[in-house]
Amino acid sequence: MEKYINEIAKLAQKAFDKKEVPIGAIVINGQGNIIGRGYNLSHGRRDSTEHAEIRALRQAFRKVGDWRLDNCTLIVNLEPCLMCLGAVANARIKKIIYFLDDPLFGSVASKLTKKQLKKLFPKLEIEKVKDKDKTKGLLQKFFKKLRRGA
């Protein structure tokens, strides 16, 4: 898991460097290979769908040559929003692993209950793990700068 956490931290840093919300996401296949990477670009591209998860999914689709990502896992540093949850489920992702809750927009724990998730997406597994603060500090720094108007 450590190599995935480090990769997500690098992607989140890329977003931060572009003045984007520092979110990074990867898609790994059943063998544990990274087949998709993404980081937020919503502000720069002026496109609300340019979330890290969606970008990672798009890269994975191209890599496998299909829209179905059976037996794949999405790993992201911040709890996915409802849009990303829907895209992940429609792509037939097997599992979502995330590090930090998002009380405002998060959908896999903050807005939906386990029972609701199971009813909507019966095969989707959700797991929360700690990232040893590799991305938490970056998110805090980003939002502090945003509040200061920097």
Side-chain angles (χ1 to χ4, degrees):
M1 180 59 77
E2 191 68 28
K3 73 176 181 176
Y4 302 136
I5 292 171
N6 290 336
E7 183 64 27
I8 290 166
K10 286 179 198 170
L11 292 165
Q13 184 66 53
K14 283 184 179 183
F16 183 85
D17 294 344
K18 293 179 183 276
K19 296 181 174 52
E20 298 278 350
V21 180
I23 300 173
I26 59 172
V27 176
I28 57 171
N29 64 15
Q31 294 74 44
N33 300 315
I34 298 173
I35 59 169
R37 291 174 173 82
Y39 57 89
N40 274 15
L41 283 175
S42 297
H43 296 288
R45 295 208 173 156
R46 296 183 174 147
D47 181 343
S48 64
T49 66
E50 288 287 331
H51 286 199
E53 300 94 327
I54 303 292
R55 293 172 49 78
L57 288 172
R58 287 178 182 148
Q59 192 177 85
F61 297 147
R62 286 191 298 274
K63 180 101 174 184
V64 301
D66 197 2
W67 60 270
R68 294 174 200 90
L69 299 174
D70 297 308
N71 295 317
C72 291
T73 298
L74 175 98
I75 307 174
V76 61
N77 62 315
L78 191 66
E79 179 183 3
C81 71
L82 194 55
M83 174 184 69
C84 292
L85 174 62
V88 165
N90 284 329
R92 300 184 181 169
I93 290 279
K94 180 181 177 181
K95 185 175 189 175
I96 297 172
I97 298 173
Y98 73 100
F99 308 150
L100 304 163
D101 290 327
D102 181 355
L104 191 57
F105 294 109
S107 65
V108 300
S110 297
K111 298 294 182 195
L112 297 174
T113 65
K114 286 182 182 182
K115 187 177 179 182
Q116 290 169 322
L117 276 171
K118 211 41 138 174
K119 188 174 182 180
L120 287 167
F121 312 111
K123 295 180 180 179
L124 184 62
E125 300 171 37
I126 310 289
E127 182 180 352
K128 182 179 176 184
V129 299
K130 290 199 177 266
D131 75 339
K132 301 177 184 150
D133 293 331
K134 291 198 179 208
T135 62
K136 184 178 180 179
L138 201 56
L139 279 158
Q140 289 171 331
K141 186 176 175 183
F142 175 84
F143 285 109
K144 278 181 187 173
K145 284 176 91 172
L146 192 65
R147 283 191 293 274
R148 284 195 315 256

